[in-house]
Amino acid sequence: MSPMRIKVAVPAPFFHPLDYLPGNTPVTLGCRVVVPLGRRKIVGVVTGLVDQVEDNDGIKCRPIETNLDEDGPSIPAPVLRLCEWAARYYQHPIGEVLAAALPAYLRKIKPPAERATQARASSKTRKALSKVQALNPGQQAALQALETGAGTFSVSLLEGVTGSGKTEVYLARVQQVIDQGLQALVLTPEIGLTPQLLDRFKARFGDAVAVMHSGLGDKARASAWRAAHEGRCRVLIGTRSAVFASMPKLGLIVIDEEHDQSYKQQESFRYSARDVAVVRAQQAKLPLILGSATPSLESLHNAQSGRYLHVHLQERATAQRLPELRLLDVRGMSLDHGLSKPLLDAIERHLQAGGQVLMFVNRRGYAPAVLCHDCGWVAPCPHCDARLTLHRARGKLICHHCGAQARVPLRCEACSGTTLIPVGQGTERVDEALQAHFPRARIERMDSDRARKAGELKRLLKEVRNRDIQILVGTQMLAKGHDFDGLTLVGVVTADQALYSADFRAIERMAQMLTQVSGRAGRGEVAGEVIVQTHEPEHPQLQNWLEQGYAGLAKGLLAERRSARLPPFGHLALLRADALDAQLAHAFLQRVATLITRGPIDVLGPIPAPMERRANRFRAQLLLSCESRARLQNLLSKLVPQIDSIEGARRVRWSVDVDPIDLF
C-alpha cells in the first residue's frame, strides 16, 4: 500500500483530478496548492484526500509543493460541490471549472497580498441602510409574493414591464436578507449595466456593496472576492463569473435581465450563469429571483408549468403609460444613411419639445460592408467567410469575428475601380448623418468601441441623465436596464435582420430587443414614442409583437417550439470541431457520430458551421437533440471521455456546448 494521496484539479484538459503526495503542510478540500505538472508549476485545487491506495499503477506521484490556503480553503465546500456539478453537466475539465471560479489574481503562484482585516459597518453604510424608498402597491404585492420562498429553495420569475421598478423590489428583498445577517448575490449581464445598478445599491447599502466584473483589474476583483469570501461584503454585484463567488452567508440570489444571452459563456467553459445559479440555490436551499421585462422562453415555460413562481408587475412605477409603438414602412422611401424623413421629422419634433432621443442601431462601426460601385466587389475578411466592417473613425476595415484589420482601400481589388461605397448602417454612420441634420444638438455614440476607454461609459451615462446629451446613438448596450427620464423618442433604424435568420432563437431575441429598447422611452413626465423602421411591416411576427406585445408573441413561439421539440421542450448539445482543413473537421465529427446510439437521440450532421471559415480555420458541427435531459446527459458522460482517443482528434480542436444558445 502506498501513502496518502491528494486529488488535485489542475487548470488543464483533464476530466479527472491528478494524484499527488502530501507536502510539508497539511491541506484540506478546496485549498489552492502549487503542484508540478510536467516541467511547470501551477496552482490547482484539492478535491479529494485518499488515505491509502493500491500501488499497482506504476505511476510515481510527485508531492505538493505549497499550500496557498493555510488559513482556510479558498473554495469552500458548497462552491466545490457546485463546480463539480458544473464540470459534469457542461462536460468540461474540473480544473478549468475551478479556475474559472477564482479571480485571476488568486490563480497565481505568488501568494496574494496580506488579507484585509475584518471591516466594520461604517457610518456611511449605516446611514445608507436607513434610506428605504416606499414601494407602490404593485411593488409591495410583488415583494410579499417573493417572501413566500424565504428560507428554502425556490425560484421566482419577476416579470415586470419596462419601468415597473423591479430594482426597487430587488432592493427591498435584499434588505430583508441583510437584516437577517445574510449575504445577497446580484448578477447583471453586462458591464454596461453595472454602474447604474451599483449606484442604486450603494445608495441603499453603502460600503456593504462590492462589485466584480471583467472591467476591473485583477487586484480589484480579488479584493471584492475576498470581501465576499470573508463575509465583509453583504451584497456582491457581478457579471457572469460571480455566480461562483465564495459567500459563506449567502441567503439570496438575484439575476437581473435573466433573458440576456450574455449569461452564457461562449468560449472554453461554456456555462450558463443563470442555470448554474438555479443549481446553486437548490444545493444551498435558498431563494432565487429571475427578473426581466422579456423573460426567456425557458423561464416562461418553467413558470407556466409551476416549477417557478410567476410574479407580475403590470404597470410602470411612475404610473406613466407605456410608449406608443409604430412600425414605419420605409419601402420606396429615400433614406439618408438609413434614416427616413418621417423619422428625422419625429426627431426634430421631440428635440423642439425639449426631449431626448435614442437611435438604436444593432451594429457598431460605420457600415457593414464596403462595395465597389463598378463591379460589385465587397471587401472580404481574408481569414473568415465574412465581410469587413468599415470603422471610419479609426480609418480601418475590421472583422467583427476574428478581429483582423486592414486599411481602407483606395481601389477595388477586383477591377481597380475607385468608386467604393459603404453599404448598410452602423452606429458611426448614423451618428454622422444625425450630426449633419441636427448641428446644434449634442450627439454622442455609445457602443463597445466607445466603452473600451476607462470611465467613458460611466461619463456618457451621467451626461445623458443630466440631459447634456440630446441624441444618443447606441447598440444593444443601451437596449436594456438604463433609466433616462428625459428620453421621449426611441428610433429603431431597422428591425428586419432577425426576420431572415436561420437561428431558431432569432425572433425571440428580436422581440426582446424591441421591447427592451422601446422601454427606454417615456419614463419621465412626458409620454414616449417608439418608431421602428422596417421593410417588412406586414410580417406576422412583427405584427404579433405590435398588437400583442412580448407576452403574446412568446406564447406563439412556445407553441412552435413544442411542435418542433426545440428548447424548452427538447434539449440540445452541440459538438464543434475546427481544423486547417475542412475535411479533417468533418471526418472527425463523422467518427464521433458513429459512437452515438440513435433512438431517443437525434443526430443532425455533421455539417459545416454557418460561417465555415473563421480565423483561417474550417469549422463543422454535430447537433444532438433529445426530449429527455437525463438521457442526453447520460450519452454525453459516456461519449465525451472517448473523443480524445478517436482517430484525428489531435489534428482538430473540438468542444462540447451543452444547452447552446447560438448555433453559429
Side-chain angles (χ1 to χ4, degrees), residues 248-320:
K249 296 182 179 180
L250 185 60
L252 174 70
I253 302 175
V254 176
I255 304 201
D256 192 29
E257 307 292 356
E258 67 84 28
H259 67 279
D260 198 288
Q261 64 187 42
S262 299
Y263 282 121
K264 180 69 188 285
Q265 170 74 23
Q266 295 285 60
E267 297 177 349
S268 187
F269 173 31
R270 293 174 167 84
Y271 67 96
S272 163
R274 181 194 65 198
D275 297 347
V276 171
V278 172
V279 174
R280 181 168 191 177
Q282 183 180 37
Q283 291 181 346
K285 296 181 174 58
L286 54 86
L288 168 69
I289 299 173
L290 303 174
S292 178
T294 55
S296 65
L297 295 188
E298 287 82 358
S299 294
L300 276 176
H301 173 63
N302 282 326
Q304 293 168 4
S305 63
R307 293 189 184 93
Y308 296 172
L309 176 67
H310 204 170
V311 181
H312 293 272
L313 286 171
Q314 305 281 16
E315 297 179 353
R316 284 188 156 180
T318 59
Q320 181 61 268

Side-chain angles (χ1 to χ4, degrees), residues 457-473:
L457 179 61
K458 190 171 184 178
R459 179 185 66 81
L460 287 173
L461 291 174
K462 181 179 179 181
E463 291 180 348
V464 175
R465 294 191 185 94
N466 292 340
R467 306 197 184 188
D468 297 327
I469 297 172
Q470 284 73 54
I471 303 177
L472 192 60
V473 181

Side-chain angles (χ1 to χ4, degrees), residues 32 92 177 204 272 303 337 366 410 481 488 575 599 640 651 657:
R32 295 171 302 129
H92 200 77
V177 169
R204 175 73 69 88
S272 163
H337 298 293
Y366 186 84
L410 299 177
T488 57
L575 280 78
V640 173
R651 301 176 68 188
D657 191 351

